[in-house]
Amino acid sequence: MYSLINAAVLQPTVTSMLPDCASKSFTDKIKSGEIKMACCLAEHSLKFSLADDLKDLIQSVAQDSNLASELTFGRTKAHAIVTNVTGKVAENQLIETLQKNKFSLIVDESTDRSSTKHLALIVRTAVDFQVEDSFLCLIPVVDGLCPTNLTELDREWRTLRNTNLPFQEDQLIKADEFWRHISKIRKGETGFSPDIDLFLDESLMLFRCRLVFRQYIKSKKARYGIKFYELTTADGYVLNIYMYCGKDHNIEPIETDASKLEQTVFRLFRPHLYKGHNLYMDNYYNSVTLSKKLLNAKTYTNGTPRGESKGKQKHVVTQKLKRGKHIWKRHGQVYVSKWQDQRQVLMITTRDHPHLKEVNNRYGQKKIKPVEVEVYNRHMSALEDGNISEDGLEDESEDEETFSLMQEK
């Protein structure tokens, strides 16, 4: 509420926006006088019903004035002038200021005399090192429900965008500038070169304050916070990072004909393409389409498939296997395999030709397991507590983000 009061104090007087009418015609002087009378009512928050009394008062005081006697000013005209004339001029002047200067929006709550609640939009600008708050508009609150208020805010937001205001499209512009600076420093590390095996993972930085793209991930320790996509080495050294900024955030296109998630992968991995790396990722990223595109960039993949990829590989997913059986199918140079243990495990790989091999499990017991599953377990165990075991997946697999198998129905 302080912002709303402060904005009202700093507002310019409405009469100050009117030009001098000394050189105008008699008719223009009458119109200018009526506008000033309407501005006086609006500036002092007086009722429009006082317009008739104000006209009568002026005419009684200035009986010898031809200008005063020609005034035709009433409640209806006063409301029309404030709404369609002075209000539009003030709004255009404010928008012109916003087009030339950086600004921020402040949303506050207000209640008028009729007990109708509104969302008040305040614009904070900095012009010549002077910070000022200016009133922008009032949005009536219909039912007080969040979806309705968001709809009204979105409608007003779209209206403002049509005025060519310099809205900041990229919410990560400051973070990107910082990370580009860090990247320049990292390029000077001549003694470091990543190994052939690289990993895509997600992390969650604890943050419980208000944020439009704050995430809730049950499987993470923080649960609430800001999600980051990370490209790391086997020992956890972060090579590249990208902050998730909401589903409506536009990512700079890097690869043509790629989905939004694939664009994220290419953005993270771009400096390491065409170098023969092995990329390990969970079912949040991996798909047949992505594996094909990375293989064209001389990057080999291994991981569990996304849900839509499972749907596309029905000829593999729908086959019922006995325990210990293993099947695979090749799509170009991309292999989709299925292994039946206590649960069925699906894999997508371009790194290894799927086949069964004898390995030792964590207890030293010999076990027959597909090579692609053994390789995935061995490399991803350095980054995750839960991995694909001889019994399928660990308990963490129940979460949607880390769920990498299709349980038999």
Side-chain angles (χ1 to χ4, degrees):
M1 182 59 69
Y2 170 77
S3 299
L4 185 59
I5 297 175
N6 190 30
V9 173
L10 296 177
Q11 288 293 306
T13 59
V14 286
T15 54
S16 66
M17 297 184 296
L18 298 175
D20 186 14
C21 59
S23 60
K24 292 185 177 181
S25 64
F26 183 75
T27 305
D28 291 338
K29 290 180 180 180
I30 294 176
K31 293 180 180 179
S32 178
E34 293 174 346
I35 291 175
K36 287 184 178 181
M37 294 168 64
C39 290
C40 179
L41 295 176
E43 184 175 345
H44 297 283
S45 300
L46 299 176
K47 297 180 180 179
F48 289 129
S49 59
L50 295 176
D52 294 303
D53 297 332
L54 180 60
K55 181 198 67 173
D56 295 340
L57 176 62
I58 294 175
Q59 290 177 344
S60 64
V61 173
Q63 296 181 2
D64 57 344
S65 173
N66 295 330
L67 184 64
S69 62
E70 295 295 332
L71 290 175
T72 57
F73 187 69
R75 179 181 62 84
T76 304
K77 178 175 282 190
H79 181 273
I81 291 174
V82 172
T83 303
N84 303 321
V85 181
T86 59
K88 294 295 183 181
V89 172
E91 182 182 10
N92 292 336
Q93 289 180 353
L94 178 58
I95 290 176
E96 184 178 354
T97 301
L98 299 182
Q99 289 174 341
K100 299 177 181 179
N101 302 276
K102 293 184 177 180
F103 67 92
S104 59
L105 286 176
I106 303 173
V107 181
D108 208 338
E109 175 185 358
S110 178
T111 305
D112 61 14
R113 293 182 179 179
S114 62
S115 299
T116 302
K117 290 187 177 182
H118 296 79
L119 291 179
L121 292 187
I122 311 299
V123 181
R124 177 166 292 175
T125 57
V127 181
D128 297 331
F129 300 100
Q130 295 293 327
V131 178
E132 294 185 358
D133 292 343
S134 303
F135 173 75
L136 183 60
C137 67
L138 285 175
I139 302 176
V141 177
V142 180
D143 53 15
L145 298 179
C146 182
T148 304
N149 296 338
L150 289 177
T151 302
E152 296 297 332
L153 279 173
D154 181 68
R155 183 181 294 111
E156 184 65 28
W157 184 265
R158 294 177 185 274
T159 302
L160 291 174
R161 281 183 178 273
N162 293 333
T163 60
N164 297 322
L165 293 181
F167 283 101
Q168 182 173 296
E169 295 288 349
D170 191 357
Q171 296 170 302
L172 299 181
I173 184 170
K174 295 183 179 179
D176 284 344
E177 290 176 358
F178 169 77
W179 188 250
R180 281 196 294 268
H181 177 69
I182 297 298
S183 299
K184 291 180 181 178
I185 298 175
R186 292 160 65 95
K187 289 180 180 179
E189 298 176 352
T190 56
F192 177 79
S193 179
D195 294 333
I196 190 173
D197 296 320
L198 300 178
F199 304 83
L200 278 178
D201 201 9
E202 309 91 46
S203 66
L204 193 70
M205 183 181 72
L206 178 61
F207 187 83
R208 291 184 176 270
C209 299
R210 293 182 179 179
L211 191 64
V212 66
F213 49 84
R214 188 187 68 171
Q215 295 288 295
Y216 171 74
I217 303 178
K218 184 179 180 180
S219 62
K220 301 296 183 181
K221 184 178 180 180
R223 295 206 174 190
Y224 291 94
I226 303 173
K227 184 169 72 171
F228 291 89
Y229 303 116
E230 297 177 344
L231 177 66
T232 69
T233 61
D235 54 0
Y237 186 87
V238 178
L239 298 173
N240 206 348
I241 192 170
Y242 175 68
M243 183 167 69
Y244 175 76
C245 205
K247 62 181 181 179
D248 296 329
H249 176 66
N250 294 322
I251 301 177
E252 178 185 357
I254 297 175
E255 182 74 10
T256 57
D257 300 331
S259 65
K260 198 168 185 178
L261 185 59
E262 291 173 354
Q263 295 284 5
T264 301
V265 174
F266 277 95
R267 177 173 181 169
L268 289 169
F269 205 77
R270 179 167 50 178
H272 307 281
L273 295 173
Y274 300 97
K275 295 182 179 180
H277 285 287
N278 297 324
L279 181 60
Y280 298 90
M281 45 190 169
D282 58 20
N283 65 318
Y284 183 80
Y285 300 97
N286 202 8
S287 66
V288 174
T289 304
L290 178 61
S291 295
K292 288 181 179 179
K293 292 180 179 179
L294 288 173
L295 186 61
N296 293 333
K298 297 183 180 179
T299 301
Y300 305 96
T301 60
N302 180 289
T304 52
R306 288 178 59 81
E308 56 265 28
S309 292
K310 295 176 184 179
K312 294 178 182 179
Q313 313 305 326
K314 292 183 178 180
H315 47 279
V316 175
V317 176
T318 56
Q319 287 198 35
K320 294 185 178 181
L321 303 177
K322 294 182 179 179
R323 183 169 181 175
K325 294 296 182 179
H326 175 242
I327 60 172
W328 57 269
K329 188 173 182 63
R330 184 167 65 90
H331 296 264
Q333 293 179 299
V334 180
Y335 295 95
V336 179
S337 67
K338 176 180 177 181
W339 173 53
Q340 184 68 45
D341 197 57
Q342 288 188 353
R343 299 176 181 178
Q344 60 182 8
V345 179
L346 296 172
M347 299 292 295
I348 295 179
T349 181
T350 59
R351 180 187 183 277
D352 303 287
H353 189 291
H355 64 276
L356 295 174
K357 63 177 294 187
E358 187 179 82
V359 298
N360 294 325
N361 63 11
R362 67 182 67 179
Y363 307 108
Q365 302 172 345
K366 294 187 179 299
K367 186 77 175 181
I368 302 297
K369 187 181 296 187
V371 62
E372 62 273 17
V373 175
E374 188 274 330
V375 170
Y376 181 86
N377 278 345
R378 175 159 43 89
H379 289 86
M380 292 297 287
S381 60
L383 297 178
E384 298 179 352
D385 294 330
N387 57 358
I388 302 179
S389 67
E390 61 272 12
D391 293 330
L393 292 183
E394 299 290 353
D395 294 338
E396 287 188 345
S397 64
E398 295 178 0
D399 187 78
E400 288 184 0
E401 273 203 334
T402 57
F403 190 75
S404 56
L405 61 86
M406 178 173 287
Q407 188 171 1
E408 201 172 25
K409 296 183 179 180

